[in-house]
Amino acid sequence: MTDPTAASSNTCYRHPDRQSFVLCQRCGRTICPECQTPAAVGVHCPECVREQRARFTENRRASGPSSLTVARRRFAMLDQKATVVLIAVSVVVWLLDRLSGGFLSQWLAYNSALLPTQPWRIVTVLFVHSGVFHILFNMWALFIFGRMLENMLGTWRFLALYFIAGISGSMLVTFLAPGTWVVGASGAIFGLFAAFFVLQRSLGNNAVQLLVIIGLNLVIGFLPGTNISWQAHVGGILAGFVTGFVFARTRNIRQRGLQTGLLVLEAVVAIALCFVGYAVTVG
């Protein structure tokens, strides 16, 4: 005969039809092999394991991210090093320009009338900004789209896109607004918008919202009293579309030479057109 009381104490608490003589080391419940989780000493039941995991997760949240997690986040920022450098240089130039009373603007801003003797201005104009809202908007846009594009394209392709779009902005200013003083990275920023749109479309993604953003920001430049160089915006957009198309069509590693050649050609044409525009409008 079997004693019913003894039998009930020797069965798994989760499976009463299974006999077991193994106890959980934490709570003392009887557990069958299926319910046993090996521990440093003995075994634990499912409830004790669940409780330990919950307590471990709570302690991790309370103590914040581990040093390894922080290190990984910092290392990930290296993937956007060009974006970070561009923002840092722009901010430093803006601060020094404020402190010097506009001294840097006099030497870095773009004016097509000075192109033959001071050609560096077609590039340095990207690092000069007027007011605080001007640099905040441009750097915010560069931080958002620059990081995404640098991750997609790599550092050197991203820099090529940024400067080709910026130079193209200066080029169109030369043709359509000769002798006008221009500052800011807006031409390059709009180039990033356009290139990102083309790349998203080439990957089959819906980028209509981005197109709306480009259109709205472009329209703002035409509003009276805004004092915005819409010419630089249009020039950057055109270069961004072309450069994005080049990237989309030469993604194969075997086309790397062709891609490099096309980017160099774009830069040369943009610079040459700046001088052509000077000869036509100012010279």
Side-chain angles (χ1 to χ4, degrees):
M1 298 291 293
T2 303
D3 184 356
T5 303
S8 62
S9 62
N10 292 330
T11 58
C12 176
Y13 79 100
R14 298 180 72 234
H15 303 96
D17 59 330
R18 301 177 187 177
Q19 190 176 32
S20 176
F21 300 93
V22 178
L23 305 180
C24 172
Q25 292 296 312
R26 295 188 76 243
C27 65
R29 293 187 180 98
T30 305
I31 47 179
C32 66
E34 182 180 340
C35 298
Q36 298 171 11
T37 299
V41 178
V43 293
H44 290 168
C45 68
E47 271 68 25
C48 289
V49 171
R50 191 178 301 112
E51 181 182 348
Q52 284 179 305
R53 289 175 178 172
R55 188 173 301 173
F56 176 77
T57 302
E58 183 178 351
N59 291 338
R60 287 194 62 183
R61 290 175 179 173
S63 61
S66 65
S67 57
L68 179 59
T69 302
V70 173
R72 285 175 177 171
R73 291 175 182 173
R74 291 176 179 174
F75 181 76
M77 288 296 291
L78 295 176
D79 295 336
Q80 304 104 30
K81 52 182 176 292
T83 302
V84 174
V85 170
L86 289 173
I87 293 174
V89 172
S90 299
V91 172
V92 169
V93 169
W94 183 81
L95 290 174
L96 292 176
D97 192 48
R98 298 298 97 186
L99 294 174
S100 63
F103 176 78
L104 289 180
S105 295
Q106 298 176 14
W107 286 98
L108 302 180
Y110 183 70
N111 189 320
S112 59
L114 304 174
L115 183 59
T117 57
Q118 301 175 23
W120 64 80
R121 292 177 181 267
I122 62 176
V123 175
T124 57
V125 63
L126 301 176
F127 300 101
V128 186
H129 294 81
S130 54
V132 61
F133 291 106
H134 187 206
I135 190 171
L136 281 178
F137 175 79
N138 281 348
M139 294 304 102
W140 172 80
L142 177 56
F143 180 75
I144 299 298
F145 287 91
R147 292 188 304 157
M148 291 190 292
L149 280 167
E150 189 173 357
N151 281 336
M152 291 175 64
L153 302 172
T155 297
W156 296 111
R157 292 183 184 87
F158 165 72
L159 287 175
L161 166 64
Y162 187 81
F163 286 110
I164 289 174
I167 294 172
S168 298
S170 299
M171 176 268 294
L172 208 60
V173 169
T174 305
F175 275 99
L176 303 181
T180 303
W181 285 100
V182 180
V183 296
S186 299
I189 299 299
F190 273 83
L192 299 185
F193 291 164
F196 188 72
F197 171 80
V198 174
L199 291 173
Q200 288 299 303
R201 291 297 300 164
S202 70
L203 296 173
N205 298 326
N206 187 353
V208 175
Q209 293 181 343
L210 180 58
L211 194 61
V212 172
I213 292 175
I214 296 175
L216 290 176
N217 283 277
L218 186 61
V219 168
I220 293 175
F222 290 92
L223 298 178
T226 54
N227 197 29
I228 296 175
S229 177
W230 59 266
Q231 298 88 348
H233 294 177
V234 174
I237 288 174
L238 293 176
F241 276 124
V242 173
T243 309
F245 182 79
V246 169
F247 287 140
R249 294 296 181 178
T250 58
R251 285 184 291 178
N252 194 305
I253 191 171
R254 296 180 180 178
Q255 298 174 299
R256 182 170 298 176
L258 174 62
Q259 183 182 94
T260 302
L262 290 174
L263 293 177
V264 171
L265 179 62
E266 275 193 77
V268 171
V269 169
I271 295 173
L273 286 177
C274 285
F275 286 92
V276 171
Y278 170 81
V280 171
T281 60
V282 180

Tab-separated table of all heavy atoms in Angstrom, residues 20-72:
chain	number	residue	atom	x	y	z
A	20	SER	N	9.245	13.041	-7.769
A	20	SER	CA	10.600	13.589	-7.706
A	20	SER	C	11.019	13.706	-6.254
A	20	SER	O	10.191	13.884	-5.354
A	20	SER	CB	10.645	14.959	-8.385
A	20	SER	OG	11.926	15.527	-8.250
A	21	PHE	N	12.335	13.621	-6.040
A	21	PHE	CA	12.875	13.777	-4.697
A	21	PHE	C	13.923	14.885	-4.656
A	21	PHE	O	14.702	14.983	-3.710
A	21	PHE	CB	13.496	12.452	-4.222
A	21	PHE	CG	12.509	11.329	-4.177
A	21	PHE	CD1	12.347	10.474	-5.267
A	21	PHE	CD2	11.725	11.118	-3.042
A	21	PHE	CE1	11.433	9.422	-5.209
A	21	PHE	CE2	10.818	10.075	-2.993
A	21	PHE	CZ	10.663	9.228	-4.075
A	22	VAL	N	13.929	15.747	-5.703
A	22	VAL	CA	14.895	16.843	-5.795
A	22	VAL	C	14.222	18.136	-5.376
A	22	VAL	O	13.122	18.457	-5.821
A	22	VAL	CB	15.452	16.979	-7.231
A	22	VAL	CG1	16.423	18.152	-7.324
A	22	VAL	CG2	16.122	15.681	-7.659
A	23	LEU	N	14.908	18.879	-4.505
A	23	LEU	CA	14.338	20.127	-3.997
A	23	LEU	C	15.076	21.335	-4.570
A	23	LEU	O	16.290	21.293	-4.828
A	23	LEU	CB	14.436	20.169	-2.463
A	23	LEU	CG	13.811	18.999	-1.702
A	23	LEU	CD1	14.013	19.206	-0.201
A	23	LEU	CD2	12.329	18.877	-2.033
A	24	CYS	N	14.345	22.429	-4.770
A	24	CYS	CA	14.962	23.708	-5.163
A	24	CYS	C	15.818	24.204	-4.011
A	24	CYS	O	15.378	24.219	-2.846
A	24	CYS	CB	13.876	24.736	-5.509
A	24	CYS	SG	14.510	26.412	-5.795
A	25	GLN	N	17.032	24.607	-4.295
A	25	GLN	CA	17.961	25.039	-3.253
A	25	GLN	C	17.554	26.357	-2.606
A	25	GLN	O	18.017	26.680	-1.514
A	25	GLN	CB	19.372	25.183	-3.853
A	25	GLN	CG	19.992	23.867	-4.271
A	25	GLN	CD	20.208	22.954	-3.079
A	25	GLN	OE1	20.745	23.350	-2.048
A	25	GLN	NE2	19.767	21.702	-3.209
A	26	ARG	N	16.680	27.146	-3.259
A	26	ARG	CA	16.287	28.454	-2.702
A	26	ARG	C	14.995	28.372	-1.895
A	26	ARG	O	14.891	28.922	-0.808
A	26	ARG	CB	16.129	29.483	-3.827
A	26	ARG	CG	17.432	29.784	-4.550
A	26	ARG	CD	17.277	30.950	-5.523
A	26	ARG	NE	17.251	32.232	-4.843
A	26	ARG	CZ	16.215	33.071	-4.841
A	26	ARG	NH1	15.104	32.744	-5.471
A	26	ARG	NH2	16.281	34.227	-4.214
A	27	CYS	N	13.966	27.701	-2.444
A	27	CYS	CA	12.659	27.710	-1.771
A	27	CYS	C	12.248	26.352	-1.208
A	27	CYS	O	11.294	26.275	-0.428
A	27	CYS	CB	11.585	28.211	-2.734
A	27	CYS	SG	11.309	27.121	-4.152
A	28	GLY	N	12.915	25.275	-1.613
A	28	GLY	CA	12.607	23.961	-1.070
A	28	GLY	C	11.494	23.233	-1.789
A	28	GLY	O	11.068	22.169	-1.334
A	29	ARG	N	10.979	23.768	-2.909
A	29	ARG	CA	9.935	23.068	-3.655
A	29	ARG	C	10.495	21.798	-4.293
A	29	ARG	O	11.658	21.746	-4.672
A	29	ARG	CB	9.366	23.968	-4.752
A	29	ARG	CG	8.580	25.182	-4.260
A	29	ARG	CD	7.935	25.876	-5.457
A	29	ARG	NE	7.154	27.045	-5.087
A	29	ARG	CZ	7.585	28.292	-5.150
A	29	ARG	NH1	8.833	28.532	-5.557
A	29	ARG	NH2	6.819	29.295	-4.798
A	30	THR	N	9.623	20.796	-4.425
A	30	THR	CA	10.005	19.572	-5.114
A	30	THR	C	9.847	19.789	-6.615
A	30	THR	O	8.784	20.243	-7.060
A	30	THR	CB	9.127	18.395	-4.667
A	30	THR	OG1	9.189	18.273	-3.251
A	30	THR	CG2	9.590	17.090	-5.307
A	31	ILE	N	10.880	19.493	-7.392
A	31	ILE	CA	10.838	19.762	-8.829
A	31	ILE	C	11.336	18.557	-9.610
A	31	ILE	O	12.262	17.864	-9.198
A	31	ILE	CB	11.692	21.005	-9.206
A	31	ILE	CG1	13.068	20.925	-8.531
A	31	ILE	CG2	10.998	22.288	-8.842
A	31	ILE	CD1	13.980	22.093	-8.872
A	32	CYS	N	10.676	18.324	-10.758
A	32	CYS	CA	11.049	17.214	-11.632
A	32	CYS	C	12.197	17.656	-12.547
A	32	CYS	O	12.528	18.846	-12.608
A	32	CYS	CB	9.837	16.767	-12.463
A	32	CYS	SG	9.278	18.022	-13.640
A	33	PRO	N	12.800	16.764	-13.297
A	33	PRO	CA	13.932	17.129	-14.172
A	33	PRO	C	13.604	18.245	-15.165
A	33	PRO	O	14.449	19.075	-15.487
A	33	PRO	CB	14.266	15.813	-14.879
A	33	PRO	CG	13.839	14.756	-13.907
A	33	PRO	CD	12.597	15.300	-13.252
A	34	GLU	N	12.364	18.287	-15.672
A	34	GLU	CA	11.999	19.306	-16.649
A	34	GLU	C	11.996	20.710	-16.040
A	34	GLU	O	12.243	21.698	-16.727
A	34	GLU	CB	10.616	19.004	-17.234
A	34	GLU	CG	10.172	19.985	-18.311
A	34	GLU	CD	8.800	19.641	-18.854
A	34	GLU	OE1	8.378	18.481	-18.697
A	34	GLU	OE2	8.155	20.541	-19.429
A	35	CYS	N	11.736	20.808	-14.764
A	35	CYS	CA	11.627	22.104	-14.093
A	35	CYS	C	12.927	22.530	-13.407
A	35	CYS	O	12.964	23.576	-12.752
A	35	CYS	CB	10.506	22.060	-13.051
A	35	CYS	SG	8.879	21.737	-13.753
A	36	GLN	N	13.958	21.762	-13.545
A	36	GLN	CA	15.209	22.045	-12.848
A	36	GLN	C	16.133	22.909	-13.709
A	36	GLN	O	16.346	22.617	-14.875
A	36	GLN	CB	15.929	20.739	-12.489
A	36	GLN	CG	15.141	19.845	-11.552
A	36	GLN	CD	15.762	18.472	-11.391
A	36	GLN	OE1	16.906	18.248	-11.828
A	36	GLN	NE2	15.023	17.535	-10.795
A	37	THR	N	16.650	23.983	-13.109
A	37	THR	CA	17.658	24.829	-13.758
A	37	THR	C	18.931	24.734	-12.937
A	37	THR	O	18.948	25.115	-11.759
A	37	THR	CB	17.193	26.295	-13.818
A	37	THR	OG1	15.987	26.378	-14.585
A	37	THR	CG2	18.266	27.166	-14.457
A	38	PRO	N	20.031	24.212	-13.524
A	38	PRO	CA	21.276	24.059	-12.761
A	38	PRO	C	21.770	25.402	-12.215
A	38	PRO	O	21.725	26.428	-12.898
A	38	PRO	CB	22.248	23.488	-13.799
A	38	PRO	CG	21.381	22.860	-14.832
A	38	PRO	CD	20.149	23.708	-14.902
A	39	ALA	N	22.231	25.400	-10.981
A	39	ALA	CA	22.784	26.593	-10.346
A	39	ALA	C	24.183	26.278	-9.850
A	39	ALA	O	24.702	25.178	-10.050
A	39	ALA	CB	21.883	27.038	-9.188
A	40	ALA	N	24.815	27.262	-9.218
A	40	ALA	CA	26.168	27.046	-8.705
A	40	ALA	C	26.182	25.894	-7.716
A	40	ALA	O	27.114	25.092	-7.682
A	40	ALA	CB	26.674	28.325	-8.052
A	41	VAL	N	25.131	25.823	-6.911
A	41	VAL	CA	24.957	24.714	-5.966
A	41	VAL	C	23.557	24.183	-6.133
A	41	VAL	O	22.587	24.910	-5.913
A	41	VAL	CB	25.177	25.179	-4.513
A	41	VAL	CG1	24.938	23.998	-3.567
A	41	VAL	CG2	26.575	25.753	-4.317
A	42	GLY	N	23.404	22.937	-6.556
A	42	GLY	CA	22.086	22.354	-6.706
A	42	GLY	C	21.351	22.883	-7.921
A	42	GLY	O	21.946	23.288	-8.921
A	43	VAL	N	20.003	22.877	-7.799
A	43	VAL	CA	19.149	23.346	-8.892
A	43	VAL	C	18.115	24.320	-8.344
A	43	VAL	O	17.843	24.349	-7.136
A	43	VAL	CB	18.445	22.165	-9.593
A	43	VAL	CG1	19.445	21.284	-10.313
A	43	VAL	CG2	17.632	21.354	-8.584
A	44	HIS	N	17.524	25.135	-9.259
A	44	HIS	CA	16.490	26.096	-8.885
A	44	HIS	C	15.219	25.815	-9.655
A	44	HIS	O	15.262	25.309	-10.787
A	44	HIS	CB	16.952	27.523	-9.158
A	44	HIS	CG	18.038	27.991	-8.249
A	44	HIS	ND1	18.761	29.138	-8.476
A	44	HIS	CD2	18.527	27.459	-7.099
A	44	HIS	CE1	19.651	29.301	-7.513
A	44	HIS	NE2	19.527	28.281	-6.654
A	45	CYS	N	14.089	26.167	-9.078
A	45	CYS	CA	12.788	26.004	-9.728
A	45	CYS	C	12.523	27.190	-10.663
A	45	CYS	O	13.186	28.226	-10.573
A	45	CYS	CB	11.689	25.883	-8.689
A	45	CYS	SG	11.399	27.411	-7.757
A	46	PRO	N	11.535	27.083	-11.561
A	46	PRO	CA	11.250	28.166	-12.504
A	46	PRO	C	10.908	29.492	-11.834
A	46	PRO	O	11.305	30.555	-12.311
A	46	PRO	CB	10.069	27.627	-13.306
A	46	PRO	CG	10.242	26.142	-13.252
A	46	PRO	CD	10.779	25.865	-11.873
A	47	GLU	N	10.169	29.476	-10.738
A	47	GLU	CA	9.796	30.719	-10.055
A	47	GLU	C	11.026	31.438	-9.507
A	47	GLU	O	11.147	32.665	-9.619
A	47	GLU	CB	8.819	30.419	-8.906
A	47	GLU	CG	7.364	30.435	-9.302
A	47	GLU	CD	7.020	29.280	-10.236
A	47	GLU	OE1	7.737	28.264	-10.189
A	47	GLU	OE2	6.062	29.424	-11.009
A	48	CYS	N	11.945	30.688	-8.911
A	48	CYS	CA	13.143	31.315	-8.352
A	48	CYS	C	14.037	31.862	-9.463
A	48	CYS	O	14.647	32.919	-9.322
A	48	CYS	CB	13.908	30.293	-7.500
A	48	CYS	SG	13.057	29.878	-5.942
A	49	VAL	N	14.111	31.131	-10.580
A	49	VAL	CA	14.897	31.618	-11.714
A	49	VAL	C	14.304	32.909	-12.259
A	49	VAL	O	15.017	33.882	-12.550
A	49	VAL	CB	14.960	30.538	-12.824
A	49	VAL	CG1	15.583	31.110	-14.089
A	49	VAL	CG2	15.743	29.327	-12.341
A	50	ARG	N	12.986	32.971	-12.401
A	50	ARG	CA	12.315	34.164	-12.902
A	50	ARG	C	12.533	35.351	-11.962
A	50	ARG	O	12.774	36.476	-12.396
A	50	ARG	CB	10.823	33.868	-13.066
A	50	ARG	CG	10.061	34.941	-13.839
A	50	ARG	CD	8.603	34.565	-14.011
A	50	ARG	NE	8.464	33.298	-14.722
A	50	ARG	CZ	8.001	32.178	-14.180
A	50	ARG	NH1	7.653	32.155	-12.898
A	50	ARG	NH2	7.901	31.071	-14.889
A	51	GLU	N	12.472	35.087	-10.673
A	51	GLU	CA	12.683	36.145	-9.689
A	51	GLU	C	14.114	36.682	-9.747
A	51	GLU	O	14.341	37.887	-9.677
A	51	GLU	CB	12.378	35.612	-8.293
A	51	GLU	CG	12.556	36.658	-7.199
A	51	GLU	CD	12.283	36.070	-5.826
A	51	GLU	OE1	11.742	34.945	-5.751
A	51	GLU	OE2	12.618	36.732	-4.838
A	52	GLN	N	15.089	35.784	-9.896
A	52	GLN	CA	16.491	36.207	-9.982
A	52	GLN	C	16.737	37.058	-11.227
A	52	GLN	O	17.442	38.078	-11.179
A	52	GLN	CB	17.399	34.977	-9.999
A	52	GLN	CG	17.561	34.314	-8.642
A	52	GLN	CD	18.462	33.098	-8.737
A	52	GLN	OE1	18.225	32.187	-9.528
A	52	GLN	NE2	19.510	33.076	-7.924
A	53	ARG	N	16.163	36.660	-12.372
A	53	ARG	CA	16.342	37.415	-13.601
A	53	ARG	C	15.723	38.807	-13.496
A	53	ARG	O	16.297	39.795	-13.957
A	53	ARG	CB	15.734	36.654	-14.776
A	53	ARG	CG	16.534	35.404	-15.162
A	53	ARG	CD	15.821	34.631	-16.256
A	53	ARG	NE	16.616	33.472	-16.657
A	53	ARG	CZ	16.171	32.513	-17.491
A	53	ARG	NH1	14.937	32.585	-17.991
A	53	ARG	NH2	16.957	31.501	-17.797
A	54	ALA	N	14.531	38.887	-12.903
A	54	ALA	CA	13.877	40.181	-12.742
A	54	ALA	C	14.697	41.108	-11.849
A	54	ALA	O	14.838	42.306	-12.124
A	54	ALA	CB	12.469	39.987	-12.163
A	55	ARG	N	15.248	40.537	-10.784
A	55	ARG	CA	16.069	41.345	-9.869
A	55	ARG	C	17.357	41.800	-10.554
A	55	ARG	O	17.800	42.940	-10.375
A	55	ARG	CB	16.383	40.520	-8.611
A	55	ARG	CG	17.052	41.310	-7.501
A	55	ARG	CD	17.170	40.458	-6.256
A	55	ARG	NE	15.860	40.016	-5.806
A	55	ARG	CZ	15.667	39.145	-4.820
A	55	ARG	NH1	16.722	38.600	-4.217
A	55	ARG	NH2	14.446	38.809	-4.463
A	56	PHE	N	17.944	40.943	-11.388
A	56	PHE	CA	19.167	41.307	-12.100
A	56	PHE	C	18.911	42.440	-13.094
A	56	PHE	O	19.690	43.393	-13.198
A	56	PHE	CB	19.705	40.075	-12.834
A	56	PHE	CG	20.921	40.346	-13.675
A	56	PHE	CD1	22.166	40.497	-13.085
A	56	PHE	CD2	20.825	40.453	-15.056
A	56	PHE	CE1	23.290	40.746	-13.852
A	56	PHE	CE2	21.937	40.695	-15.823
A	56	PHE	CZ	23.173	40.846	-15.226
A	57	THR	N	17.787	42.354	-13.810
A	57	THR	CA	17.437	43.404	-14.765
A	57	THR	C	17.191	44.723	-14.056
A	57	THR	O	17.614	45.786	-14.511
A	57	THR	CB	16.173	43.000	-15.558
A	57	THR	OG1	16.412	41.759	-16.227
A	57	THR	CG2	15.803	44.076	-16.573
A	58	GLU	N	16.514	44.681	-12.928
A	58	GLU	CA	16.236	45.895	-12.158
A	58	GLU	C	17.529	46.541	-11.664
A	58	GLU	O	17.688	47.759	-11.710
A	58	GLU	CB	15.324	45.564	-10.979
A	58	GLU	CG	14.921	46.791	-10.163
A	58	GLU	CD	13.988	46.401	-9.036
A	58	GLU	OE1	13.525	45.234	-9.004
A	58	GLU	OE2	13.707	47.265	-8.189
A	59	ASN	N	18.459	45.726	-11.211
A	59	ASN	CA	19.740	46.259	-10.727
A	59	ASN	C	20.542	46.900	-11.865
A	59	ASN	O	21.199	47.928	-11.674
A	59	ASN	CB	20.567	45.134	-10.079
A	59	ASN	CG	19.958	44.660	-8.772
A	59	ASN	OD1	19.194	45.392	-8.135
A	59	ASN	ND2	20.273	43.441	-8.368
A	60	ARG	N	20.491	46.300	-13.067
A	60	ARG	CA	21.207	46.865	-14.208
A	60	ARG	C	20.628	48.218	-14.596
A	60	ARG	O	21.353	49.161	-14.914
A	60	ARG	CB	21.140	45.915	-15.404
A	60	ARG	CG	22.006	44.692	-15.267
A	60	ARG	CD	22.163	43.996	-16.603
A	60	ARG	NE	22.832	44.864	-17.573
A	60	ARG	CZ	23.046	44.516	-18.832
A	60	ARG	NH1	22.628	43.350	-19.286
A	60	ARG	NH2	23.669	45.328	-19.640
A	61	ARG	N	19.293	48.344	-14.573
A	61	ARG	CA	18.667	49.614	-14.903
A	61	ARG	C	19.016	50.682	-13.877
A	61	ARG	O	19.243	51.846	-14.211
A	61	ARG	CB	17.154	49.449	-14.974
A	61	ARG	CG	16.687	48.625	-16.180
A	61	ARG	CD	15.189	48.402	-16.134
A	61	ARG	NE	14.743	47.633	-17.292
A	61	ARG	CZ	13.499	47.183	-17.447
A	61	ARG	NH1	12.581	47.415	-16.498
A	61	ARG	NH2	13.184	46.505	-18.535
A	62	ALA	N	19.067	50.276	-12.616
A	62	ALA	CA	19.363	51.245	-11.549
A	62	ALA	C	20.808	51.725	-11.617
A	62	ALA	O	21.100	52.898	-11.337
A	62	ALA	CB	19.081	50.607	-10.181
A	63	SER	N	21.718	50.842	-11.995
A	63	SER	CA	23.130	51.208	-12.028
A	63	SER	C	23.540	51.899	-13.312
A	63	SER	O	24.641	52.426	-13.414
A	63	SER	CB	23.994	49.960	-11.837
A	63	SER	OG	23.754	49.033	-12.886
A	64	GLY	N	22.638	51.945	-14.351
A	64	GLY	CA	22.961	52.621	-15.599
A	64	GLY	C	23.757	51.715	-16.519
A	64	GLY	O	24.048	50.551	-16.206
A	65	PRO	N	24.115	52.229	-17.715
A	65	PRO	CA	24.844	51.411	-18.690
A	65	PRO	C	26.234	51.041	-18.194
A	65	PRO	O	26.878	51.812	-17.479
A	65	PRO	CB	24.927	52.335	-19.925
A	65	PRO	CG	24.798	53.713	-19.368
A	65	PRO	CD	23.889	53.587	-18.178
A	66	SER	N	26.675	49.864	-18.576
A	66	SER	CA	27.994	49.407	-18.165
A	66	SER	C	29.070	50.171	-18.918
A	66	SER	O	28.816	50.831	-19.923
A	66	SER	CB	28.127	47.906	-18.440
A	66	SER	OG	28.063	47.669	-19.840
A	67	SER	N	30.295	50.074	-18.420
A	67	SER	CA	31.417	50.749	-19.075
A	67	SER	C	31.627	50.209	-20.482
A	67	SER	O	32.022	50.929	-21.387
A	67	SER	CB	32.697	50.564	-18.253
A	67	SER	OG	32.976	49.173	-18.072
A	68	LEU	N	31.335	48.905	-20.681
A	68	LEU	CA	31.479	48.316	-22.006
A	68	LEU	C	30.463	48.915	-22.975
A	68	LEU	O	30.777	49.207	-24.126
A	68	LEU	CB	31.294	46.801	-21.922
A	68	LEU	CG	31.404	46.029	-23.256
A	68	LEU	CD1	32.773	46.260	-23.878
A	68	LEU	CD2	31.137	44.549	-23.034
A	69	THR	N	29.213	49.111	-22.480
A	69	THR	CA	28.186	49.711	-23.321
A	69	THR	C	28.558	51.131	-23.702
A	69	THR	O	28.392	51.549	-24.844
A	69	THR	CB	26.833	49.711	-22.583
A	69	THR	OG1	26.488	48.367	-22.241
A	69	THR	CG2	25.743	50.315	-23.454
A	70	VAL	N	29.051	51.904	-22.746
A	70	VAL	CA	29.467	53.281	-23.011
A	70	VAL	C	30.598	53.306	-24.029
A	70	VAL	O	30.623	54.137	-24.942
A	70	VAL	CB	29.899	53.978	-21.708
A	70	VAL	CG1	30.484	55.350	-22.008
A	70	VAL	CG2	28.720	54.092	-20.753
A	71	ALA	N	31.550	52.385	-23.870
A	71	ALA	CA	32.678	52.324	-24.809
A	71	ALA	C	32.196	51.999	-26.218
A	71	ALA	O	32.690	52.566	-27.202
A	71	ALA	CB	33.685	51.283	-24.340
A	72	ARG	N	31.241	51.095	-26.323
A	72	ARG	CA	30.712	50.744	-27.643
A	72	ARG	C	30.017	51.942	-28.274
A	72	ARG	O	30.133	52.178	-29.481
A	72	ARG	CB	29.726	49.581	-27.513
A	72	ARG	CG	30.411	48.236	-27.265
A	72	ARG	CD	29.382	47.145	-27.021
A	72	ARG	NE	30.021	45.842	-26.853
A	72	ARG	CZ	29.380	44.746	-26.460
A	72	ARG	NH1	28.075	44.803	-26.200
A	72	ARG	NH2	30.032	43.611	-26.338
